């Protein structure tokens, strides 16, 4: 599975990271004392709407090739800036 996690682009959008998987773009905003927030974006990386954690995890499950990929993605996303 090809994916890219970009912390700098995510921070420019006010989030912790941007993740691109296949042709889908998502943003993740991590908080130190609140649940994380998840957003879907269009092909230009412009945030379109907030999505639930369940929907985000569903997309990760659909787009990842294996359980190991999923675990690696979650680990890397957790390293982003916390708000």
């Amino acid at each position: 599975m090809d994916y890219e996690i970009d912390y700098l682009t995510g921070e420019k959008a006010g989030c912790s990271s941007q993740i691109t998987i296949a042709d889908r773009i998502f943003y993740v905003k991590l908080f130190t004392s609140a649940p994380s927030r998840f957003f879907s974006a269009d092909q230009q990386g412009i945030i379109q709407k907030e999505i639930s954690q369940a929907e985000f995890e569903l997309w990760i499950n659909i787009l990842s090739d294996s359980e190991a990929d999923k675990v690696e993605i979650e680990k890397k996303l957790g390293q982003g800036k916390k708000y």
Side-chain angles (χ1 to χ4, degrees):
M1 171 185 70
D2 291 332
Y3 69 92
E4 178 183 348
I5 296 176
D6 188 340
Y7 301 108
L8 184 58
T9 302
E11 288 181 21
K12 286 180 182 177
C15 295
S16 303
S17 59
Q18 175 193 36
I19 180 169
T20 305
I21 306 172
D23 62 346
R24 304 279 186 189
I25 299 174
F26 301 97
Y27 288 91
V28 177
K29 188 167 188 175
L30 304 172
F31 295 95
T32 55
S33 61
S36 298
R37 295 177 65 190
F38 304 90
F39 305 91
S40 64
D42 65 13
Q43 295 302 310
Q44 289 75 39
I46 298 171
I47 294 175
Q48 297 296 306
K49 67 176 184 169
E50 185 169 357
I51 60 174
S52 68
Q53 181 174 354
E55 183 177 353
F56 177 74
E57 290 173 356
L58 174 69
W59 278 110
I60 296 296
N61 286 332
I62 290 170
L63 299 171
S64 61
D65 292 334
S66 68
E67 186 66 28
D69 284 341
K70 181 183 166 199
V71 171
E72 183 178 332
I73 289 170
E74 291 172 352
K75 180 181 173 187
K76 287 181 179 179
L77 288 175
Q79 295 173 357
K81 177 181 176 181
K82 312 254 186 320
Y83 290 87

